Amino acid sequence: EPEVTQTPSHQVTQMGQEVILRCVPISNHLYFYWYRQILGQKVEFLVSFYNNEISEKSEIFDDQFSVERPDGSNFTLKIRSTKLEDSAMYFCASSESRANQETQYFGPGTRLLVL
Amino acid sequence: AQTVTQSQPEMSVQEAETVTLSCTYDTSENNYYLFWYKQPPSRQMILVIRQEAYKQQNATENRFSVNFQKAAKSFSLKISDSQLGDTAMYFCASSASASKIIFGSGTRLSIRP
């Protein structure tokens, strides 16, 4: 069964460093998303992406964040200068289409720790 | 704006018992989906069940079923014959557009042997 994959599974970085989190969505899916979950809290929407552009973003998704689909398979989230409060689990998700509000399938997540 | 509320932070039941997790939501949209996601200790988000708001029939997936009360904006999850592997955090969620899913705060479910 096709699934969303994410790398790395864990990342530790120093405050102020740039990190890139990678995702490979399900191959025939067209809509891509990033969510984050701070430990012990609810999952929060960050951004959605379609047709090589951002379709919606939350207030969390400030200028320190960017997303990119550099090729036909990868979908990346970059944090330019990490802060301590960026420590969280980051989930990538993808959905097949917007019509009929297709279900989003989540990857296993990347656990980011900022020291 | 959409909101999802789960009022039970934790629940615990004996193996083989039936348990119901509560969820209420609010949305001004006419077309929306509701979901229950399971998050085991590995923290992966696993879709358990989904319900289309325009369908009156409650969704079922094996031991999992929902009680969808549209007028009351209630969407509870029933787990029958609970198993140890059902131990996880359960999130209720809604989507009124394909752009984002709004999650509740979660219910931590423990199944006791």
Coordinates of all heavy atoms in Angstrom, one line a residue, chain B residues 2-88:
Chain B
Q2 N -13.4 26.9 12.3 CA -13.7 25.5 12.8 C -13.1 25.3 14.1 O -11.9 25.8 14.4 CB -13.1 24.5 11.8 CG -13.6 24.5 10.4 CD -12.9 23.5 9.6 OE1 -13.1 22.3 9.8 NE2 -11.9 24.0 8.8
T3 N -13.8 24.6 15.0 CA -13.2 24.1 16.2 C -13.6 22.7 16.5 O -14.6 22.2 16.0 CB -13.6 25.0 17.4 OG1 -15.1 24.9 17.5 CG2 -13.2 26.4 17.3
V4 N -12.7 22.0 17.2 CA -12.9 20.6 17.6 C -12.6 20.5 19.0 O -11.5 20.9 19.5 CB -12.1 19.6 16.7 CG1 -12.3 18.2 17.2 CG2 -12.4 19.8 15.2
T5 N -13.5 19.9 19.8 CA -13.3 19.8 21.2 C -13.5 18.4 21.7 O -14.4 17.7 21.4 CB -14.4 20.7 22.0 OG1 -14.3 22.0 21.5 CG2 -14.2 20.6 23.5
Q6 N -12.4 17.9 22.4 CA -12.5 16.6 23.1 C -12.4 16.8 24.6 O -11.4 17.3 25.0 CB -11.3 15.7 22.6 CG -11.4 15.4 21.1 CD -10.3 14.6 20.6 OE1 -9.4 15.1 19.9 NE2 -10.2 13.3 21.0
S7 N -13.4 16.5 25.3 CA -13.5 16.8 26.7 C -13.0 15.8 27.6 O -12.9 15.9 28.8 CB -15.0 17.1 27.0 OG -15.8 16.0 26.8
Q8 N -12.5 14.6 27.1 CA -12.0 13.6 27.9 C -10.5 13.5 27.6 O -10.0 12.9 26.7 CB -12.6 12.2 27.5 CG -14.1 12.2 27.6 CD -14.7 11.1 26.7 OE1 -14.4 11.1 25.5 NE2 -15.7 10.4 27.2
P9 N -9.6 14.0 28.5 CA -8.2 13.9 28.3 C -7.7 12.5 28.4 O -6.7 12.2 27.6 CB -7.6 14.8 29.4 CG -8.7 15.5 30.1 CD -10.0 14.8 29.7
E10 N -8.2 11.7 29.3 CA -7.8 10.3 29.4 C -8.9 9.4 29.7 O -9.9 9.8 30.3 CB -6.8 10.2 30.6 CG -5.5 11.0 30.4 CD -4.5 10.7 31.5 OE1 -4.6 9.6 32.1 OE2 -3.7 11.6 31.8
M11 N -8.8 8.2 29.2 CA -9.8 7.1 29.5 C -9.0 5.8 29.6 O -7.9 5.6 29.0 CB -10.8 7.0 28.4 CG -11.7 8.2 28.3 SD -13.1 7.9 27.2 CE -14.1 6.8 28.1
S12 N -9.6 4.9 30.4 CA -9.0 3.6 30.6 C -10.1 2.6 30.7 O -11.0 2.8 31.4 CB -8.1 3.6 31.9 OG -7.5 2.4 32.1
V13 N -9.9 1.5 30.0 CA -10.9 0.4 30.0 C -10.2 -0.9 30.0 O -9.0 -1.0 29.7 CB -11.9 0.4 28.9 CG1 -12.7 1.7 28.9 CG2 -11.2 0.2 27.5
Q14 N -10.9 -2.0 30.4 CA -10.4 -3.3 30.4 C -10.4 -3.9 29.0 O -11.3 -3.6 28.2 CB -11.2 -4.2 31.4 CG -10.5 -5.4 32.0 CD -9.7 -5.0 33.2 OE1 -9.9 -4.0 33.8 NE2 -8.6 -5.7 33.4
E15 N -9.5 -4.7 28.7 CA -9.4 -5.4 27.4 C -10.8 -6.1 27.2 O -11.4 -6.6 28.1 CB -8.3 -6.4 27.4 CG -7.9 -7.0 26.1 CD -6.7 -8.0 26.2 OE1 -6.3 -8.2 27.4 OE2 -6.3 -8.4 25.2
A16 N -11.2 -6.0 26.0 CA -12.5 -6.7 25.5 C -13.7 -5.8 25.8 O -14.8 -6.1 25.3 CB -12.7 -8.1 26.0
E17 N -13.6 -4.8 26.6 CA -14.7 -3.9 26.8 C -14.9 -2.9 25.6 O -14.1 -2.8 24.8 CB -14.5 -3.1 28.1 CG -14.6 -3.9 29.4 CD -14.4 -3.0 30.6 OE1 -14.0 -1.9 30.5 OE2 -14.7 -3.5 31.7
T18 N -16.1 -2.3 25.7 CA -16.4 -1.3 24.7 C -16.2 0.1 25.3 O -16.5 0.3 26.5 CB -17.8 -1.4 24.2 OG1 -18.0 -2.7 23.5 CG2 -18.3 -0.3 23.3
V19 N -15.6 1.0 24.5 CA -15.3 2.3 25.0 C -15.8 3.4 23.9 O -15.7 3.1 22.7 CB -13.8 2.5 25.3 CG1 -12.9 2.3 24.1 CG2 -13.5 3.9 25.9
T20 N -16.3 4.5 24.4 CA -16.7 5.5 23.6 C -16.0 6.8 23.9 O -16.0 7.3 25.0 CB -18.2 5.8 23.7 OG1 -18.9 4.6 23.3 CG2 -18.7 6.9 22.8
L21 N -15.4 7.4 22.8 CA -14.7 8.7 23.0 C -15.5 9.8 22.4 O -16.1 9.6 21.3 CB -13.3 8.6 22.2 CG -12.4 7.4 22.5 CD1 -11.1 7.5 21.7 CD2 -12.2 7.3 24.0
S22 N -15.6 10.9 23.1 CA -16.5 12.0 22.7 C -15.8 13.0 21.9 O -14.6 13.3 22.1 CB -17.1 12.6 24.0 OG -17.8 11.6 24.7
C23 N -16.5 13.7 21.1 CA -16.0 14.8 20.3 C -17.2 15.7 19.9 O -18.2 15.2 19.5 CB -15.3 14.3 19.1 SG -14.7 15.6 17.9
T24 N -17.0 17.0 20.0 CA -17.9 18.0 19.5 C -17.1 18.9 18.6 O -15.9 19.1 18.7 CB -18.7 18.7 20.5 OG1 -17.7 19.4 21.4 CG2 -19.5 17.8 21.4
Y25 N -17.8 19.5 17.6 CA -17.2 20.3 16.7 C -18.1 21.5 16.3 O -19.3 21.5 16.6 CB -16.8 19.5 15.4 CG -18.0 19.1 14.6 CD1 -18.5 19.8 13.6 CD2 -18.6 17.8 15.0 CE1 -19.7 19.4 12.9 CE2 -19.7 17.4 14.3 CZ -20.3 18.2 13.3 OH -21.4 17.7 12.6
D26 N -17.5 22.5 15.7 CA -18.3 23.6 15.3 C -17.7 24.1 13.9 O -16.5 24.2 13.7 CB -18.2 24.8 16.3 CG -19.3 25.8 16.0 OD1 -20.2 25.5 15.2 OD2 -19.2 26.9 16.5
T27 N -18.6 24.3 13.0 CA -18.2 24.8 11.7 C -19.4 25.4 11.0 O -20.6 25.1 11.3 CB -17.7 23.6 10.8 OG1 -17.4 24.1 9.5 CG2 -18.8 22.5 10.6
S28 N -19.1 26.4 10.2 CA -20.2 27.1 9.5 C -20.3 26.5 8.1 O -21.2 27.0 7.3 CB -19.9 28.6 9.5 OG -18.6 28.8 8.9
E29 N -19.5 25.6 7.7 CA -19.5 25.0 6.4 C -20.7 24.0 6.3 O -21.1 23.4 7.3 CB -18.2 24.3 6.1 CG -17.0 25.2 6.2 CD -16.9 26.2 5.1 OE1 -17.5 25.9 4.0 OE2 -16.3 27.2 5.3
N30 N -21.2 23.9 5.1 CA -22.2 22.8 4.8 C -21.6 21.5 4.4 O -22.1 20.5 4.8 CB -23.1 23.3 3.7 CG -24.0 24.5 4.1 OD1 -24.4 24.5 5.2 ND2 -24.2 25.4 3.1
N31 N -20.5 21.5 3.7 CA -19.8 20.3 3.3 C -18.5 20.2 4.1 O -17.6 21.0 4.1 CB -19.5 20.3 1.9 CG -20.7 20.3 1.0 OD1 -21.7 19.7 1.3 ND2 -20.7 21.1 0.0
Y32 N -18.4 19.1 4.9 CA -17.2 18.9 5.6 C -17.0 17.4 5.9 O -18.0 16.6 5.8 CB -17.2 19.7 6.9 CG -18.4 19.5 7.8 CD1 -18.4 18.5 8.8 CD2 -19.5 20.3 7.7 CE1 -19.5 18.3 9.7 CE2 -20.7 20.1 8.5 CZ -20.6 19.1 9.5 OH -21.7 19.0 10.3
Y33 N -15.8 17.0 6.3 CA -15.5 15.7 6.7 C -15.1 15.7 8.2 O -14.5 16.6 8.7 CB -14.4 15.1 5.9 CG -14.8 14.6 4.5 CD1 -15.7 15.2 3.7 CD2 -14.2 13.4 4.1 CE1 -16.0 14.7 2.5 CE2 -14.5 12.9 2.8 CZ -15.4 13.5 2.1 OH -15.8 13.0 0.8
L34 N -15.3 14.6 8.8 CA -14.9 14.4 10.2 C -14.0 13.1 10.3 O -14.3 12.1 9.5 CB -16.1 14.2 11.1 CG -17.0 15.5 11.2 CD1 -18.3 15.1 11.9 CD2 -16.3 16.6 12.0
F35 N -13.1 13.1 11.1 CA -12.1 12.0 11.2 C -11.8 11.7 12.6 O -11.9 12.5 13.5 CB -10.8 12.4 10.5 CG -10.9 13.0 9.1 CD1 -11.0 14.3 8.9 CD2 -10.8 12.1 8.0 CE1 -11.1 14.9 7.7 CE2 -10.9 12.7 6.7 CZ -11.0 14.0 6.6
W36 N -11.4 10.4 12.8 CA -10.7 10.0 14.0 C -9.3 9.5 13.6 O -9.2 8.6 12.7 CB -11.5 8.9 14.8 CG -12.6 9.5 15.6 CD1 -13.9 9.6 15.3 CD2 -12.4 10.0 16.9 NE1 -14.6 10.2 16.3 CE2 -13.7 10.5 17.4 CE3 -11.4 10.2 17.8 CZ2 -14.0 11.0 18.6 CZ3 -11.6 10.8 19.1 CH2 -12.9 11.2 19.4
Y37 N -8.3 10.0 14.2 CA -6.9 9.6 14.0 C -6.4 9.0 15.3 O -6.7 9.4 16.4 CB -6.0 10.7 13.6 CG -6.1 11.1 12.1 CD1 -7.0 12.1 11.7 CD2 -5.3 10.6 11.2 CE1 -7.1 12.5 10.4 CE2 -5.4 11.0 9.8 CZ -6.3 11.9 9.5 OH -6.4 12.3 8.1
K38 N -5.6 7.9 15.1 CA -5.0 7.3 16.2 C -3.5 7.6 16.2 O -2.8 7.6 15.1 CB -5.2 5.7 16.1 CG -4.4 4.9 17.0 CD -4.6 3.4 16.7 CE -3.8 2.5 17.6 NZ -4.0 1.1 17.2
Q39 N -2.9 7.9 17.4 CA -1.5 8.2 17.4 C -0.9 7.3 18.5 O -1.0 7.6 19.7 CB -1.2 9.6 17.7 CG 0.3 10.0 17.7 CD 0.5 11.5 17.9 OE1 0.0 12.1 18.9 NE2 1.4 12.1 17.1
P40 N -0.3 6.1 18.2 CA 0.3 5.2 19.2 C 1.6 5.9 19.7 O 2.0 7.0 19.2 CB 0.6 4.0 18.3 CG 0.7 4.4 16.9 CD -0.2 5.6 16.8
P41 N 2.3 5.2 20.6 CA 3.5 5.8 21.1 C 4.6 6.1 20.1 O 5.4 7.0 20.3 CB 4.0 4.6 22.1 CG 2.8 4.0 22.5 CD 1.9 4.0 21.3
S42 N 4.5 5.5 19.0 CA 5.5 5.8 17.9 C 5.2 7.2 17.3 O 6.0 7.8 16.6 CB 5.4 4.8 16.7 OG 4.1 4.9 16.1
R43 N 4.0 7.8 17.7 CA 3.6 9.1 17.3 C 3.2 9.3 15.8 O 2.9 10.4 15.4 CB 4.6 10.2 17.7 CG 4.8 10.3 19.2 CD 5.7 11.5 19.6 NE 4.9 12.7 19.4 CZ 5.5 13.9 19.5 NH1 6.8 14.0 19.8 NH2 4.8 15.0 19.3
Q44 N 3.1 8.2 15.1 CA 2.6 8.2 13.7 C 1.1 8.5 13.8 O 0.4 8.0 14.7 CB 2.9 6.9 13.0 CG 2.4 7.0 11.6 CD 3.1 5.9 10.7 OE1 3.9 5.2 11.2 NE2 2.8 5.9 9.4
M45 N 0.6 9.3 12.9 CA -0.8 9.6 12.8 C -1.5 8.6 11.8 O -1.2 8.5 10.6 CB -1.1 11.0 12.3 CG -0.6 12.1 13.2 SD -1.5 12.1 14.7 CE -3.0 12.9 14.2
I46 N -2.4 7.8 12.4 CA -3.1 6.8 11.6 C -4.6 7.0 11.5 O -5.2 7.2 12.5 CB -2.8 5.4 12.2 CG1 -1.3 5.1 12.4 CG2 -3.5 4.3 11.4 CD1 -1.0 4.0 13.3
L47 N -5.1 7.1 10.3 CA -6.5 7.3 10.1 C -7.3 6.1 10.6 O -7.0 5.0 10.1 CB -6.8 7.6 8.6 CG -8.3 7.9 8.3 CD1 -8.8 9.1 9.0 CD2 -8.5 8.0 6.8
V48 N -8.2 6.3 11.4 CA -9.1 5.2 11.9 C -10.4 5.1 11.2 O -10.8 4.1 10.7 CB -9.4 5.4 13.4 CG1 -10.4 4.3 13.9 CG2 -8.1 5.4 14.3
I49 N -11.0 6.3 11.0 CA -12.3 6.3 10.4 C -12.7 7.7 9.9 O -12.2 8.7 10.5 CB -13.4 5.7 11.4 CG1 -14.7 5.3 10.7 CG2 -13.7 6.7 12.5 CD1 -15.5 4.4 11.6
R50 N -13.5 7.8 8.9 CA -13.9 9.1 8.5 C -15.4 9.1 8.2 O -16.0 8.1 7.8 CB -13.1 9.6 7.3 CG -13.5 8.9 5.9 CD -12.8 9.6 4.8 NE -13.3 9.2 3.5 CZ -12.9 9.6 2.3 NH1 -12.0 10.6 2.3 NH2 -13.5 9.2 1.2
Q51 N -16.0 10.3 8.3 CA -17.4 10.4 8.0 C -17.7 11.7 7.2 O -17.2 12.8 7.5 CB -18.1 10.6 9.4 CG -19.6 11.0 9.3 CD -20.5 9.7 9.1 OE1 -20.2 8.7 9.7 NE2 -21.5 9.9 8.3
E52 N -18.4 11.5 6.1 CA -18.8 12.6 5.3 C -20.1 13.2 5.9 O -21.0 12.5 6.2 CB -19.1 12.2 3.8 CG -17.9 11.6 3.1 CD -17.8 10.1 3.2 OE1 -18.2 9.6 4.2 OE2 -17.2 9.5 2.3
A53 N -20.1 14.5 6.1 CA -21.2 15.2 6.8 C -22.5 15.0 6.1 O -23.6 15.1 6.7 CB -20.8 16.7 7.0
Y54 N -22.5 14.9 4.7 CA -23.7 14.8 4.0 C -24.3 13.4 4.1 O -25.4 13.2 3.6 CB -23.5 15.2 2.5 CG -22.5 14.3 1.8 CD1 -22.9 13.2 1.1 CD2 -21.2 14.7 1.7 CE1 -22.0 12.4 0.4 CE2 -20.3 13.9 1.0 CZ -20.7 12.8 0.3 OH -19.8 12.0 -0.3
K55 N -23.6 12.4 4.6 CA -24.1 11.1 4.8 C -24.7 10.9 6.1 O -24.1 11.2 7.1 CB -23.0 10.0 4.6 CG -22.5 9.9 3.1 CD -21.6 8.8 3.0 CE -21.1 8.6 1.5 NZ -20.1 7.5 1.3
Q56 N -26.0 10.4 6.1 CA -26.6 10.2 7.4 C -26.2 8.9 8.1 O -26.2 8.8 9.3 CB -28.1 10.1 7.2 CG -28.7 11.5 6.8 CD -30.2 11.5 6.8 OE1 -30.8 10.4 6.5 NE2 -30.9 12.6 6.9
Q57 N -25.8 7.9 7.3 CA -25.3 6.7 7.9 C -24.0 6.8 8.6 O -23.1 7.4 8.0 CB -25.2 5.6 6.7 CG -25.0 4.2 7.3 CD -25.1 3.2 6.1 OE1 -25.2 3.5 5.0 NE2 -25.0 1.9 6.5
N58 N -23.9 6.2 9.8 CA -22.7 6.3 10.5 C -21.7 5.4 9.9 O -21.9 4.2 9.6 CB -23.0 5.9 12.0 CG -23.8 6.9 12.7 OD1 -23.6 8.1 12.5 ND2 -24.6 6.5 13.6
A59 N -20.4 5.9 9.9 CA -19.3 5.1 9.3 C -18.9 4.0 10.3 O -19.0 4.1 11.5 CB -18.1 6.0 9.0
T60 N -18.5 2.8 9.7 CA -18.0 1.7 10.5 C -16.7 1.2 9.8 O -16.7 1.1 8.6 CB -19.0 0.6 10.7 OG1 -19.3 0.1 9.5 CG2 -20.3 1.1 11.4
E61 N -15.8 0.8 10.6 CA -14.6 0.1 10.2 C -14.2 -1.0 11.2 O -13.6 -0.8 12.2 CB -13.4 1.0 10.0 CG -13.4 2.0 8.9 CD -13.2 1.3 7.5 OE1 -12.6 0.2 7.5 OE2 -13.5 1.9 6.5
N62 N -14.7 -2.2 10.9 CA -14.5 -3.4 11.8 C -14.9 -3.0 13.2 O -16.1 -2.8 13.4 CB -13.0 -3.7 11.7 CG -12.5 -4.1 10.3 OD1 -13.2 -4.8 9.6 ND2 -11.4 -3.5 9.9
R63 N -14.0 -3.0 14.2 CA -14.4 -2.7 15.5 C -14.7 -1.3 15.9 O -15.1 -0.9 17.0 CB -13.4 -3.3 16.5 CG -13.1 -4.8 16.4 CD -12.0 -5.2 17.4 NE -10.7 -4.6 17.1 CZ -10.2 -3.7 17.9 NH1 -10.8 -3.2 18.9 NH2 -9.0 -3.2 17.5
F64 N -14.5 -0.4 14.9 CA -14.6 1.0 15.1 C -15.9 1.5 14.4 O -16.1 1.2 13.3 CB -13.4 1.8 14.6 CG -12.1 1.4 15.2 CD1 -11.3 0.3 14.8 CD2 -11.6 2.1 16.3 CE1 -10.2 -0.1 15.4 CE2 -10.4 1.7 16.9 CZ -9.7 0.7 16.5
S65 N -16.6 2.3 15.2 CA -17.8 2.9 14.6 C -18.0 4.3 15.2 O -17.4 4.6 16.2 CB -19.1 2.1 14.8 OG -19.3 1.9 16.2
V66 N -18.8 5.1 14.5 CA -19.0 6.5 15.0 C -20.5 6.7 15.2 O -21.3 6.0 14.6 CB -18.4 7.6 14.0 CG1 -16.9 7.4 13.9 CG2 -19.1 7.5 12.6
N67 N -20.8 7.6 16.0 CA -22.1 8.1 16.2 C -22.1 9.6 15.9 O -21.7 10.4 16.6 CB -22.6 7.9 17.7 CG -24.0 8.3 17.9 OD1 -24.7 8.7 16.9 ND2 -24.5 8.3 19.1
F68 N -22.6 9.8 14.6 CA -22.6 11.2 14.1 C -23.9 11.8 14.3 O -24.9 11.4 13.7 CB -22.2 11.1 12.6 CG -22.2 12.4 11.9 CD1 -21.7 13.6 12.4 CD2 -22.8 12.5 10.6 CE1 -21.8 14.8 11.7 CE2 -22.9 13.7 9.9 CZ -22.3 14.8 10.5
Q69 N -24.0 12.9 15.1 CA -25.2 13.6 15.3 C -25.0 15.0 14.8 O -24.4 15.9 15.5 CB -25.5 13.7 16.8 CG -25.6 12.3 17.5 CD -26.9 11.6 17.1 OE1 -28.0 12.3 16.9 NE2 -26.9 10.3 16.9
K70 N -25.4 15.2 13.6 CA -25.1 16.5 12.9 C -25.7 17.7 13.5 O -25.1 18.7 13.7 CB -25.6 16.4 11.4 CG -25.1 17.5 10.5 CD -25.4 17.2 9.1 CE -24.8 18.3 8.2 NZ -25.1 18.0 6.7
A71 N -27.0 17.6 13.9 CA -27.6 18.7 14.6 C -26.9 19.1 15.9 O -26.8 20.3 16.2 CB -29.1 18.4 14.8
A72 N -26.5 18.1 16.6 CA -25.8 18.4 17.9 C -24.3 18.7 17.7 O -23.6 19.0 18.6 CB -26.0 17.2 18.8
K73 N -23.8 18.5 16.4 CA -22.4 18.7 16.1 C -21.5 17.8 17.0 O -20.6 18.2 17.7 CB -22.0 20.1 16.2 CG -22.7 21.0 15.1 CD -22.2 22.4 15.0 CE -22.9 23.1 13.9 NZ -22.5 24.5 13.8
S74 N -21.9 16.5 17.1 CA -21.3 15.6 17.9 C -20.8 14.4 17.0 O -21.5 14.0 16.1 CB -22.3 15.1 18.9 OG -21.8 13.9 19.6
F75 N -19.6 13.9 17.4 CA -19.0 12.8 16.5 C -18.2 11.9 17.5 O -17.0 12.1 17.7 CB -18.1 13.5 15.5 CG -17.5 12.6 14.5 CD1 -18.2 11.8 13.7 CD2 -16.1 12.5 14.4 CE1 -17.6 10.9 12.8 CE2 -15.5 11.6 13.5 CZ -16.2 10.9 12.7
S76 N -18.8 10.9 18.0 CA -18.1 10.1 19.0 C -17.6 8.8 18.3 O -18.2 8.4 17.3 CB -19.0 9.7 20.2 OG -20.2 9.1 19.7
L77 N -16.6 8.2 18.9 CA -16.0 7.0 18.3 C -16.2 5.9 19.3 O -15.9 6.0 20.5 CB -14.5 7.2 18.2 CG -13.7 6.0 17.8 CD1 -14.0 5.6 16.3 CD2 -12.2 6.2 17.9
K78 N -16.8 4.8 18.8 CA -17.0 3.6 19.7 C -16.0 2.5 19.2 O -15.9 2.2 18.0 CB -18.4 3.1 19.6 CG -18.7 1.9 20.5 CD -20.1 1.6 20.6 CE -20.5 0.7 19.5 NZ -21.9 0.1 19.7
I79 N -15.3 2.0 20.2 CA -14.3 0.9 19.9 C -14.9 -0.3 20.7 O -15.0 -0.3 21.9 CB -12.9 1.2 20.4 CG1 -12.4 2.5 19.9 CG2 -12.0 0.0 20.1 CD1 -11.1 3.0 20.4
S80 N -15.3 -1.3 19.9 CA -15.8 -2.5 20.5 C -14.7 -3.6 20.7 O -13.7 -3.6 19.9 CB -16.9 -3.1 19.5 OG -17.9 -2.2 19.3
D81 N -14.9 -4.4 21.7 CA -14.0 -5.5 21.9 C -12.5 -5.0 21.9 O -11.7 -5.4 21.1 CB -14.1 -6.6 20.8 CG -13.2 -7.8 21.1 OD1 -12.9 -8.1 22.3 OD2 -12.8 -8.5 20.1
S82 N -12.3 -4.0 22.8 CA -11.0 -3.3 22.8 C -9.8 -4.3 23.0 O -9.9 -5.3 23.7 CB -11.0 -2.2 23.8 OG -11.3 -2.8 25.1
Q83 N -8.7 -3.9 22.3 CA -7.5 -4.7 22.4 C -6.4 -3.9 22.9 O -6.4 -2.7 22.8 CB -7.2 -5.2 20.9 CG -8.3 -6.1 20.4 CD -8.1 -6.5 18.9 OE1 -7.1 -6.1 18.3 NE2 -9.0 -7.2 18.4
L84 N -5.3 -4.6 23.4 CA -4.2 -3.9 23.9 C -3.6 -2.9 22.9 O -3.1 -1.9 23.2 CB -3.1 -4.9 24.4 CG -3.6 -5.8 25.6 CD1 -2.5 -6.8 25.9 CD2 -4.0 -5.0 26.8
G85 N -3.6 -3.3 21.6 CA -3.0 -2.5 20.6 C -3.8 -1.2 20.3 O -3.4 -0.4 19.5
D86 N -5.0 -1.1 20.9 CA -5.8 0.1 20.7 C -5.3 1.2 21.7 O -5.7 2.4 21.5 CB -7.3 -0.2 21.1 CG -7.9 -1.1 20.1 OD1 -7.4 -1.2 18.9 OD2 -8.9 -1.8 20.5
T87 N -4.4 0.9 22.6 CA -3.8 1.9 23.4 C -3.1 3.0 22.6 O -2.2 2.6 21.8 CB -2.8 1.3 24.4 OG1 -3.5 0.4 25.3 CG2 -2.0 2.3 25.2
A88 N -3.5 4.2 22.7 CA -3.0 5.3 21.9 C -3.7 6.6 22.3 O -4.6 6.6 23.1 CB -3.2 5.0 20.4

